Amino acid sequence: MYSMTGYGRAEYCENGVTITVELKTVNNRNFDLNSKMPRSFLVFDDLIRKTVAKYVLRGRIDLFVNFSDIREKERNLSLDIGRAKSYYEISKRISEELGLVNDVTVTGIMRLPEVVTDNSSDDVSEFKDVLEDTVKKACENLNEMRGKEGEKICVDLLRRMDVIEELRNGIFERAPLVVEEYRQKLKQRVEEALKDVKYDEARLLNEVAFYTDKVNIDEELTRLSSHIHQFREIIRQEGSGKKADFLMQEFNREANTVCSKSNDIEITRLALSLKNEIEKVREQVQNLE
């Protein structure tokens, strides 16, 4: 299990060529890759995307590629002599018209637009394999960091799941007592109100049965127990962040129902503590891939 937050870096440096790849990832519901690289490397955008997707399932990924080539290479330069002459003739005219010294130099003319053009090829196809390997190494380093962080999160989540189970069990043990306490209190109130007058025992039992049905939370507690078991099974599976996030919504739904049905201070206290722990787990789960 990986955290969605991490950093990875790798560098290739040989024969005057340096390629550096850096990756930073943060939470996101989907795979969202944003690449920044030299214009000449845009041809590799699809290759980079497919390579990163093998290592990262989801999250926002910022990828940076830096490239340096200091090898000595022949440059294919061309001269537009006609344009150079035009610039020079204009400079002489300006000098004559305004009475200024003509300080035009060869270097100055060469720097003017389109006088000297670099027609050297920007073909970077020779770096395809090197770039792919460097991206892979950066992703491996990224996942090493994400894996360590993910393991810490999993340990914390399983600890919190133990707390959730304890709270669930506390509610389960308390629930039957609530009905019995209600039956005894109702019977006492009826006897105090009617005193020596005989009352219909069957109606009292019907009232207790109606109350029992109203506050019954057996289904919710059973589903909570099932959710806890499922959570423990999937939490260490790779790429189960979305499943766990969905499961926490089900946790929250059951806890809300328990709270709404509760007519007992102790169950309400336990249910609120349950909701609090579920929310903490939900926040942590959203950090998992």
Side-chain angles (χ1 to χ4, degrees):
M1 174 59 73
Y2 292 112
S3 165
M4 277 194 283
T5 303
Y7 172 81
R9 183 181 186 277
E11 182 177 270
Y12 168 87
C13 187
E14 190 173 327
N15 299 326
V17 175
T18 302
I19 298 177
T20 305
V21 177
E22 292 182 275
L23 291 162
K24 293 193 297 183
T25 60
V26 293
N27 297 5
N28 196 290
R29 294 181 63 84
N30 303 301
F31 180 86
D32 180 16
L33 175 63
N34 299 281
S35 303
K36 294 183 180 180
M37 65 187 82
R39 182 179 294 275
S40 58
F41 273 60
L42 291 177
V43 67
F44 300 131
D45 184 69
D46 188 56
L47 172 67
I48 291 174
R49 182 172 294 274
K50 288 180 179 178
T51 302
V52 174
K54 293 178 182 178
Y55 293 86
V56 182
L57 297 179
R58 68 182 184 128
R60 176 185 170 85
I61 308 109
D62 290 318
L63 181 145
F64 305 90
V65 178
N66 292 312
F67 172 69
S68 174
D69 185 358
I70 59 174
R71 296 176 298 176
E72 290 187 4
K73 296 184 293 183
E74 291 187 3
R75 308 302 298 181
N76 181 14
L77 303 178
S78 62
L79 170 64
D80 188 337
I81 192 63
R83 189 178 297 273
K85 288 180 178 178
S86 296
Y87 280 127
Y88 181 65
E89 291 300 325
I90 290 174
S91 71
K92 289 200 303 182
R93 183 178 173 183
I94 293 173
S95 176
E96 292 170 359
E97 292 287 339
L98 301 180
L100 300 173
V101 176
N102 191 344
D103 59 353
V104 173
T105 63
V106 173
T107 302
I109 293 178
M110 288 179 64
R111 291 175 178 173
L112 294 172
E114 299 181 27
V115 173
V116 178
T117 306
D118 187 352
N119 299 314
S120 302
S121 173
D122 287 331
D123 182 22
V124 292
S125 58
E126 63 178 300
F127 303 117
K128 178 182 177 181
D129 293 340
V130 169
L131 175 63
E132 184 178 5
D133 288 341
T134 307
V135 171
K136 286 180 179 179
K137 290 176 182 177
C139 287
E140 290 169 359
N141 293 333
L142 169 72
N143 278 359
E144 182 179 355
M145 180 178 179
R146 295 198 308 137
K148 291 178 180 178
E149 182 67 21
E151 180 61 27
K152 291 179 182 178
I153 293 175
C154 284
V155 170
D156 180 65
L157 290 174
L158 291 172
R159 180 181 61 79
R160 292 189 183 280
M161 200 52 53
D162 291 340
V163 175
I164 288 175
E165 186 172 41
E166 289 177 7
L167 292 168
R168 179 265 173 202
N169 292 340
I171 295 172
F172 180 79
E173 293 172 2
R174 174 63 184 166
L177 302 178
V178 173
V179 175
E180 178 58 26
E181 288 178 3
Y182 175 79
R183 187 190 69 80
Q184 293 179 2
K185 289 180 180 179
L186 179 61
K187 182 177 181 181
Q188 182 179 353
R189 287 200 298 269
V190 170
E191 290 176 348
E192 289 176 353
L194 299 179
K195 295 184 179 179
D196 296 332
V197 178
K198 295 185 66 176
Y199 61 89
D200 189 348
E201 187 76 23
R203 293 193 63 180
L204 177 65
L205 293 176
N206 285 338
E207 177 63 27
V208 173
F210 175 77
Y211 177 80
T212 302
D213 185 64
K214 180 180 178 181
V215 300
N216 185 275
I217 51 176
D218 289 348
E219 290 185 13
E220 287 76 17
L221 295 179
T222 299
R223 283 195 289 268
L224 269 175
S225 183
S226 175
H227 295 340
I228 292 169
H229 176 71
Q230 290 180 61
F231 186 91
R232 286 170 172 160
E233 281 193 338
I234 70 171
I235 194 57
R236 291 191 181 277
Q237 296 176 10
E238 185 175 342
S240 60
K242 280 189 175 181
K243 291 182 181 179
D245 189 24
F246 172 77
L247 192 57
M248 294 317 301
Q249 296 178 36
E250 299 302 308
F251 268 87
N252 204 43
R253 184 175 290 111
E254 306 304 340
N256 284 335
T257 304
V258 171
C259 282
S260 65
K261 285 186 175 183
S262 174
N263 196 25
D264 177 75
I265 293 177
E266 180 60 16
I267 288 182
T268 298
R269 184 188 68 80
L270 291 171
L272 290 175
S273 297
L274 180 66
K275 280 173 59 67
N276 184 50
E277 286 299 318
I278 289 172
E279 180 60 25
K280 291 177 181 178
V281 173
R282 189 188 68 82
E283 290 176 357
Q284 279 283 52
V285 160
Q286 290 179 350
N287 293 319
L288 294 177
E289 184 178 74

